Amino acid sequence: QVQLVESGGGLVQPGGSLRLSCAASGTIFSIKAMGWYRQGPGKQRELVATISSGGSTDYADSVKGRFTISRDNAKNTVWLQMNSLQPEDTAVYYCNAAVLPRYYSGYADYWGKGTLVTVSS
């Protein structure tokens, strides 16, 4: 069993910053990619940023230059530093991880329950 728990969401004014955290726990042999997705009101879930176990990153065009993803492989934790937040960044942010529970099993996708980020004055 693998659990992903997000934290760090909240209400912030336009132009402000937030830092999201996601910790993976449970039966984990290794984690390949980790990432953040978001789903805004009335919208589909979309990719925000991903990071490989080696540190390679990828960002949605809408957040490039404002958001930074990072991870600590030893702690099975990923962060999303969000700066210059705008109302259109309002969404539930979900953590995702491609986890190998045991060395002989296959990788599987796991999701957190989400953390709400609201950008409003």
Side-chain angles (χ1 to χ4, degrees):
Q1 193 80 359
V2 176
Q3 298 84 35
L4 300 181
V5 179
E6 303 105 332
S7 62
L11 173 64
V12 63
Q13 292 187 341
S17 298
L18 281 176
R19 190 185 193 214
L20 305 183
S21 298
C22 172
S25 63
T27 305
I28 299 173
F29 182 78
S30 69
I31 300 178
K32 196 162 48 178
M34 301 186 80
W36 291 93
Y37 291 71
R38 67 185 181 185
Q39 187 165 13
K43 299 180 180 180
Q44 291 187 330
R45 190 175 297 190
E46 62 176 0
L47 171 70
V48 176
T50 61
I51 184 167
S52 71
S53 57
S56 297
T57 59
D58 190 27
Y59 295 92
D61 288 342
S62 59
V63 307
K64 282 180 181 177
R66 300 188 298 124
F67 291 9
T68 302
I69 189 170
S70 59
R71 68 188 279 180
D72 184 327
N73 291 334
K75 296 181 179 179
N76 293 330
T77 300
V78 63
W79 296 273
L80 185 69
Q81 177 66 43
M82 304 186 294
N83 299 328
S84 302
L85 283 161
Q86 300 301 317
E88 51 266 33
D89 295 315
T90 294
V92 177
Y93 284 71
Y94 297 92
C95 177
N96 170 266
V99 179
L100 187 69
R102 295 177 176 83
Y103 73 92
Y104 52 81
S105 64
Y107 279 95
D109 260 353
Y110 292 87
W111 293 88
K113 293 183 178 180
T115 184
L116 178 62
V117 172
T118 303
V119 185
S120 175
S121 55

